[in-house]
Amino acid sequence: MKILYNNFFLIVTLILLCACSTQRDLFVGYTNSQIDYSGRIDSSKIKGVDLYWSGTSIKLNFEGKSISALFKDETGDNYYNVMIDNDSLSIFRPDTTKQYYQFASKLPEGKHTVEIFKRTEWNRGKSSFYGFHIQGHSKVLPKSLPQKKKIEFYGNSITAGYAVEDTSGRDIPDSTYTNNYLSYAAITARHYNAKYQCICKSGIGMTISWFPLIMPEMYDRLIPTDENSKWDFSLYNPDIVVINIFQNDSWLVNMPGSNEFKKRLGSTVPNDDYFIKSYQQFVENIRKHYPKSKIICILGSMDATKEGSKWVSYIKEAVANLNDNRIYTHFIPYKETSGHPSVKEQEEIAESLIQFIDKNIDW
């Protein structure tokens, strides 16, 4: 009788332990090695990581019934795409108060994946991520196998996906319409299943911008607003670097009365050699950081690539001067519509770039 009682007690205990384990909550802190971060993410804080750049992302494989993330935003004006199991997509806007946001519930048993992708640009302020909360059969699974290819983009509003979802054609300056996930850059990266990194800002130029910062001053920063915060280029070695700059320069050189013109260019438009050398110097800086990368200097698809554009010729001459057979040029035809590229036009840019890569680069 005593043996039966002990066996009964053991069985009940095991059942209770199993029940407790399936109901337990699991907090996955931001330092967990199975969290897969992409992009320039600032991890220097004691608690949490900060996201600034377009296209930065956070990914986790897990088992559980539901998953939430602990976030806080600096301005409340950043938007993220949330993908569950690489399929369902929702838009997430973190508040200025640190809190949990539930991304999925009532998930079936088995492996799941959550990915959080930053749609908006760094001028909307930073977002801070602290970790995930998983409920029900909670388990962290190993990262997916590393992506074999790596690609990096330097660009302006076209690369950022500015106003890509503004169907009015008015280029409304509202972050709800900006979506880097639908930019040609992100589309190209996904096509090749490549690790993706994007350094971009709407309005930025190579020699002059619509604001007091140009790409040669921004490209090497970890925190885009801090000139003393430098990115460690050894952390990411792309197979391909794509540069799409000069669209804003092409407009701003015709505005001699603007403050940025006076600050950057003085009282008169510099000669052609100035723009050629400025572009050439930037590409040389990229080459110093990435001795083995293939570099594609593109332009388009806005009016800087109109027929006869001198900005196309500037890039061609700068690249010719570098005499480097791993540096290429590719020009996207002018889209001949007003405003920034639409979703369809971004897809057309991506298609053009993908065709060029397939034809010219073995990676």
Side-chain angles (χ1 to χ4, degrees), residues 40 197 220-222 230-236 290:
R40 295 184 181 180
Q197 191 154 281
D220 61 350
R221 296 183 181 185
L222 169 59
K230 297 303 179 183
W231 169 248
D232 181 355
F233 283 89
S234 69
L235 296 176
Y236 189 80
Y290 302 132

Side-chain angles (χ1 to χ4, degrees), residues 287 290-296 323-328 361:
R287 169 58 75 218
Y290 302 132
K292 298 180 180 180
S293 299
K294 307 292 178 62
I295 301 173
I296 309 175
N323 193 28
D324 184 332
N325 62 11
R326 290 170 299 165
I327 301 178
Y328 308 78
I361 298 177

Side-chain angles (χ1 to χ4, degrees), residues 264-320:
R264 296 288 183 182
L265 306 177
S267 57
T268 58
V269 179
N271 59 26
D272 293 349
D273 195 49
Y274 174 83
F275 297 105
I276 294 166
K277 287 183 176 178
S278 296
Y279 193 96
Q280 182 176 331
Q281 182 60 59
F282 179 74
V283 179
E284 285 179 342
N285 289 340
I286 295 295
R287 169 58 75 218
K288 288 176 184 176
H289 291 297
Y290 302 132
K292 298 180 180 180
S293 299
K294 307 292 178 62
I295 301 173
I296 309 175
C297 300
I298 74 172
L299 189 63
S301 63
M302 293 176 73
D303 58 6
T305 55
K306 275 185 175 180
E307 187 175 350
S309 168
K310 60 183 179 182
W311 301 95
V312 169
S313 62
Y314 291 162
I315 294 174
K316 285 182 177 179
E317 189 163 343
V319 171

Side-chain angles (χ1 to χ4, degrees), residues 21-161:
S21 66
T22 59
Q23 295 301 316
R24 70 187 179 91
D25 295 350
L26 177 62
F27 179 73
V28 185
Y30 69 97
T31 59
N32 191 292
S33 61
Q34 300 309 321
I35 298 177
D36 189 3
Y37 294 103
S38 291
R40 295 184 181 180
I41 294 178
D42 181 13
S43 59
S44 62
K45 290 174 57 177
I46 297 175
K47 293 183 179 181
V49 294
D50 289 337
L51 287 72
Y52 296 88
W53 299 95
S54 305
T56 49
S57 68
I58 305 167
K59 193 172 185 179
L60 180 72
N61 296 326
F62 69 98
E63 289 182 2
K65 293 292 185 181
S66 69
I67 187 161
S68 305
L70 186 57
F71 260 88
K72 179 182 179 181
D73 197 72
E74 187 175 17
T75 64
D77 202 21
N78 276 299
Y79 290 82
Y80 292 79
N81 287 344
V82 178
M83 283 78 71
I84 300 295
D85 298 337
N86 303 309
D87 185 14
S88 62
L89 185 148
S90 60
I91 298 176
F92 154 58
R93 181 184 186 180
D95 200 356
T96 54
T97 302
K98 183 179 177 181
Q99 59 186 286
Y100 280 102
Y101 297 87
Q102 188 174 78
F103 297 147
S105 62
K106 299 180 181 179
L107 292 169
E109 290 186 14
K111 176 184 175 180
H112 298 287
T113 298
V114 60
E115 182 178 6
I116 308 167
F117 184 101
K118 192 171 190 292
R119 298 162 54 106
T120 42
E121 301 184 56
W122 57 257
N123 62 304
R124 300 296 177 177
K126 68 180 180 182
S127 300
S128 298
F129 166 73
Y130 303 94
F132 290 105
H133 181 213
I134 310 172
Q135 290 182 299
H137 300 279
S138 307
K139 185 178 180 181
V140 174
L141 300 178
K143 285 181 182 179
S144 302
L145 292 174
Q147 290 152 293
K148 294 181 179 179
K149 296 179 173 69
K150 294 181 181 178
I151 192 165
E152 182 171 72
F153 291 81
Y154 293 86
N156 48 41
S157 55
I158 303 170
T159 306

Side-chain angles (χ1 to χ4, degrees), residues 163-166 182 335 337 339-347:
V164 66
E165 294 186 307
D166 173 22
L182 297 180
K335 63 189 182 72
T337 58
H340 284 77
S342 64
V343 173
K344 182 177 182 295
E345 289 165 341
Q346 288 280 3
E347 291 171 349

